[in-house]
Amino acid sequence: MRRRAAEYRRPVRRRVSYWIWLFIALFSILGLLVFLLQNHHYHDPDDFPSLEKNARVEHFARESLNFTEEITSVKSFSRQLAEQMTLAKAYVVIAKEHNNLHLAWQLSKKIRGCQLLLSKTAMTGEPVTQEEAELIIKSLSSLIFKAQDIHYDIATTIVTMKSHIQALEERANAATVQSTVFGQVAAEALPKSLHCLIVKLMTDWLKKPSLKELSYENKNSLRLVDNNLYHFCIFSDNVLATSVVVNSTVSSADHPKQLVFHIVTDGVNYGAMQAWFLSNDFKGATIEVQNIDEFRWLNASYSPIVKQLLNPDSRAFYFGVYQDASVQPKIRNPKYLSLLNHLRFYIPEIYPQLEKVVFLDDDTVVQKDLTPLFSLDLHGNVNGAVETCLEAFHRYYKYLNFSNPIISSKFDPQACAWAFGMNIFDLVAWRKANVTARYHYWQEQNADGTLWKLGTLPPALLCFYGLTEPLDRRWHALGLGYDLNIDNRLIESAAVVHFNGNMKPWLKLAIGRYKPLWDRYINQSHPYLQDCVTS
């Protein structure tokens, strides 16, 4: 009877083993990848003492083992060890679930033996021999058979694996959300050195009457309205970032004295911005600094966005203590509540006598002369911009709610989006098309936030629809604030590089590969900058 029972159990065990192997296939692949990543650093000779360096160099001079091929080869002992180890790891989890700590300890011990043997193979480049692998494979097979023989049937395995996969997914999702939140907080924070610089500059502005006198003289300069010159506008509350934009533009220009910069900031940073640009030389370029608080015409009765930004519900959404965790952290970025961010839609009102202007974001760096932009033929269009629809996700349907008939009846969901941050605007055509009125209309339609959720690009796509002239891609390269893998050739050929994203070049979050592009336009010898860095 016992013999018959044993014979009956064998095929059942085989089926159980088969399903266990099937359900841990995912873990096998993951385990192999993790293992390869863990052992990758062993290939660096600098990780070993100097006595071993020569041996390592001499070893790699010979034809070494391809570990990837070895670990995937059907006939190799390395693959057998890796597969046994992955299966054993699954049973360690199940054994712990059933409080069989002794079996879990035995399996873990053999797993460490497998890892050591595979590590040796990866380091030396010598394949695992039968003598090395035989003992571990036999003992590990015995323990796996023991785990199968106890009470870990297929149902138990499936339930356990599902619960662990679900737990891992939840932890991964939570970690992703937390990482995004921390990244957003870091991106919104003002570095201490920059805050220090603002304080020093504000002190100068308040204590030096000569700066205010010079500022008053500059306001009456005829160069500010001379359409024979090249006009640029920047709207920012970041002194150092604005300085980099101006400095890089004049440094790249063939005739910097023909450039005029129109800067608008807020009341908090106005004095610091004035002090900085009045105290430093920018190769003879004309620089005007204005305070947005002095734009009396920009009020709630005229501008829907002003009315919406003053709404208590909007402010509670961005700055409230209790916030809905389901809302993306990016959408809560307070910059979207800043009127400076929306000022780009009022350029003709701010500069009524200008005919053409180049708009630059404060997280851009100019690498080539931009004055040829002013002679480009926009074919009657208002906005000259670089299109971003080389990838599918930069089309209209990704920014706007096409389930709303107001959007779907007027716009093509596959229309190509374009980039804000480096734009040439024909202000004569702008006034003729009354683009600002279009902006007001769409802001009123989106008062409840159902047409789009955040930012200035979605309303711009609506306002400049059919009024945008595509520019050569080399005028504007984007992604330096989030993309680690931008082609160097694209960066080198670009007239303007844009650090759009959270990893701004003035933050510690900055991508090290791109940061020198920004740093080169900062006068590191300036006493205020030196004092603020050391303090």
Side-chain angles (χ1 to χ4, degrees), residues 230 232 248-256 258-259 366-374 422 475 494-496:
Y230 303 104
F232 300 81
S248 64
T249 305
V250 298
S251 298
S252 304
D254 294 335
H255 305 286
Q258 295 182 10
L259 307 187
V366 178
Q367 301 185 129
K368 297 183 180 179
D369 187 10
L370 296 185
T371 56
L373 283 169
F374 291 84
M422 197 294 299
W475 280 111
V496 175

Side-chain angles (χ1 to χ4, degrees), residues 189-215:
L190 185 70
K192 288 184 178 179
S193 59
L194 185 52
H195 179 72
C196 166
L197 176 64
I198 293 172
V199 171
K200 287 181 177 292
L201 292 172
M202 278 299 299
T203 302
D204 283 352
W205 176 250
L206 295 172
K207 289 186 176 181
K208 296 180 179 179
S210 59
L211 291 177
K212 294 183 179 180
E213 293 174 4
L214 185 57
S215 172

Side-chain angles (χ1 to χ4, degrees), residues 303-329:
S303 170
I305 189 63
V306 174
K307 183 178 180 180
Q308 292 167 19
L309 294 180
L310 293 175
N311 188 305
D313 293 336
S314 297
R315 304 194 70 84
F317 176 80
Y318 286 96
F319 298 110
V321 177
Y322 302 103
Q323 298 181 344
D324 185 359
S326 64
V327 179
Q328 296 180 24

Side-chain angles (χ1 to χ4, degrees), residues 279-513:
S279 303
N280 292 282
D281 176 61
F282 292 90
K283 298 188 177 182
T286 301
I287 301 174
E288 172 195 33
V289 179
Q290 292 179 274
N291 184 353
I292 192 175
D293 295 342
E294 296 177 359
F295 296 168
R296 303 302 178 191
W297 52 269
L298 192 60
N299 51 54
S301 62
Y302 171 65
S303 170
I305 189 63
V306 174
K307 183 178 180 180
Q308 292 167 19
L309 294 180
L310 293 175
N311 188 305
D313 293 336
S314 297
R315 304 194 70 84
F317 176 80
Y318 286 96
F319 298 110
V321 177
Y322 302 103
Q323 298 181 344
D324 185 359
S326 64
V327 179
Q328 296 180 24
K330 180 181 177 181
I331 296 179
R332 291 195 182 280
N333 193 331
K335 81 173 185 179
Y336 299 119
L337 197 63
S338 170
L339 192 55
L340 281 173
N341 200 46
H342 295 265
L343 208 57
R344 61 194 71 188
F345 293 101
Y346 295 99
I347 294 175
E349 281 83 354
I350 303 171
Y351 313 110
Q353 294 176 281
L354 296 185
E355 297 175 355
K356 278 191 177 182
V357 66
V358 168
F359 167 76
L360 293 171
D361 262 337
D362 66 357
D363 54 354
T364 58
V365 173
V366 178
Q367 301 185 129
K368 297 183 180 179
D369 187 10
L370 296 185
T371 56
L373 283 169
F374 291 84
S375 58
L376 287 179
D377 186 1
L378 298 182
H379 300 97
N381 287 310
V382 177
N383 171 32
V386 171
E387 292 184 329
T388 56
C389 59
L390 293 178
E391 300 85 9
F393 54 84
H394 284 304
R395 296 190 181 271
Y396 269 50
Y397 73 90
K398 285 294 183 180
Y399 297 93
L400 302 164
N401 179 16
F402 274 86
S403 65
N404 192 309
I406 298 177
I407 298 294
S408 59
S409 63
K410 297 182 180 181
F411 301 96
D412 177 8
Q414 294 297 330
C416 189
W418 44 267
F420 247 147
M422 197 294 299
N423 307 79
I424 173 72
F425 290 120
D426 184 334
L427 301 185
V428 176
W430 183 314
R431 296 181 186 102
K432 184 178 179 181
N434 207 355
V435 174
T436 302
R438 292 190 183 191
Y439 170 67
H440 286 171
Y441 169 79
W442 286 114
Q443 282 293 349
E444 289 171 348
Q445 295 298 315
N446 193 48
D448 56 358
T450 57
L451 302 186
W452 68 86
K453 291 298 182 185
L454 75 163
T456 53
L457 182 57
L461 295 177
L462 302 177
C463 298
F464 294 102
Y465 186 73
L467 299 174
T468 298
E469 179 71 16
L471 301 181
D472 189 297
R473 191 184 180 198
R474 289 170 294 182
W475 280 111
H476 189 188
L478 297 106
L480 279 73
Y482 68 89
D483 189 348
L484 299 170
N485 300 307
I486 302 175
D487 192 326
N488 282 329
R489 292 171 295 181
L490 177 61
I491 294 175
E492 291 169 3
S493 65
V496 175
V497 291
H498 196 166
F499 288 82
N500 56 310
N502 281 340
M503 300 179 184
K504 301 300 185 188
W506 54 84
L507 300 174
K508 290 185 178 180
L509 287 174
I511 300 172
R513 177 185 161 204

Side-chain angles (χ1 to χ4, degrees), residues 6 133 140 166 182 210 220 357 405 409 480 535:
L140 200 50
Q166 184 177 0
F182 289 161
S210 59
N220 298 317
V357 66
S409 63
L480 279 73
S535 63

